[in-house]
C-alpha cells in the first residue's frame, strides 16, 4: 500500500509490471499455493457441510452427486469475484458477524433443548441481529449503501 497508495488493487501483484521478474515469480508462487492449498480447504468445506446436513462421512455410493454441486458453487464464487480485497471484505463481514453474534446463541440454543422459551427468543433475536449485521456489511462492501 505504501508503494501504490490509493491505486492499490485488491490483488497487490497486479500492480506490478508484467515484465517484472520478481513479480512474475510471486505470481507463480501464489498460483502454486492456490493450486495445492485449495484441495485441503475444499475437503474441510465438504466435510463440514456433510456433517451439518447429517451425512457424517463421505457417502459410499455416488459421492459425486453431493460433491460436484459444492465444487460448482465454489467455482462460481471464484468467477464472480475478481477483486480479492472485495472478497476478503465480504468474507470478513460475514464471518465476524457469525462468530460474534450468531454462533454463540446458536450453540446456547442447542444446550437449552426446549427449556426456557423466553431465553430461546432472546437467543434467536441475537442470531437474527448477527445475520442483519452481516448483510449490512455485505451491502456496504458492494457499495449499495
Amino acid at each position: 500500500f505504501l508503494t501504490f497508495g490509493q491505486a492499490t488493487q485488491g490483488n497487490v501483484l497486479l500492480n506490478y509490471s508484467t515484465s517484472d521478474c520478481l513479480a512474475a515469480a510471486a505470481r507463480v508462487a501464489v498460483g502454486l499455493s492456490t493450486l495445492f492449498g485449495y484441495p485441503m480447504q475444499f475437503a474441510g468445506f465438504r466435510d463440514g457441510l456433510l456433517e451439518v446436513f447429517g451425512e457424517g462421512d463421505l457417502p459410499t455410493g455416488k459421492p459425486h452427486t453431493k460433491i460436484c454441486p459444492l465444487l460448482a458453487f465454489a467455482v462460481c464464487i471464484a468467477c464472480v469475484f475478481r477483486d480479492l480485497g472485495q472478497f476478503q471484505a465480504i468474507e470478513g463481514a460475514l464471518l465476524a458477524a457469525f462468530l460474534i453474534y450468531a454462533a454463540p446463541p446458536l450453540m446456547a440454543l442447542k444446550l437449552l433443548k426446549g427449556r426456557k422459551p423466553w431465553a430461546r427468543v432472546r437467543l434467536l433475536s441475537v442470531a437474527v441481529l448477527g445475520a442483519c449485521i452481516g448483510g449490512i456489511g455485505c451491502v456496504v462492501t458492494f457499495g449499495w449503501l
Side-chain angles (χ1 to χ4, degrees):
F1 189 77
L2 292 175
T3 305
F4 300 105
Q6 293 295 326
T8 302
Q9 296 182 29
N11 182 351
V12 176
L13 293 175
L14 293 177
N15 293 310
Y16 291 97
S17 171
T18 55
S19 61
D20 187 347
C21 295
L22 291 176
R27 287 185 189 103
V28 169
V30 168
L32 289 173
S33 172
T34 303
L35 179 67
F36 292 111
Y38 179 76
M40 292 185 292
Q41 295 170 358
F42 183 75
F45 174 65
R46 176 200 64 207
D47 293 346
L49 282 180
L50 288 175
E51 188 174 325
V52 163
F53 292 114
E55 294 290 328
D57 294 331
L58 280 174
T60 56
K62 291 189 173 187
H64 302 299
T65 59
K66 294 180 181 169
I67 295 171
C68 287
L70 293 176
L71 186 59
F73 174 72
V75 168
C76 288
I77 294 294
C79 289
V80 168
F81 288 101
R82 295 287 182 198
D83 183 3
L84 297 178
Q86 185 181 36
F87 178 77
Q88 289 294 326
I90 291 171
E91 181 183 32
L94 292 175
L95 287 177
F98 176 75
L99 289 175
I100 294 169
Y101 294 105
L106 292 176
M107 289 186 278
L109 279 171
K110 187 77 169 172
L111 292 174
L112 285 179
K113 294 184 182 176
R115 295 174 284 175
K116 301 180 182 179
W118 284 108
R120 292 178 58 81
V121 170
R122 286 193 306 264
L123 291 170
L124 281 173
S125 64
V126 172
V128 168
L129 174 69
C132 292
I133 289 173
I136 290 169
C138 290
V139 166
V140 169
T141 300
F142 278 122
W144 297 335
L145 196 74

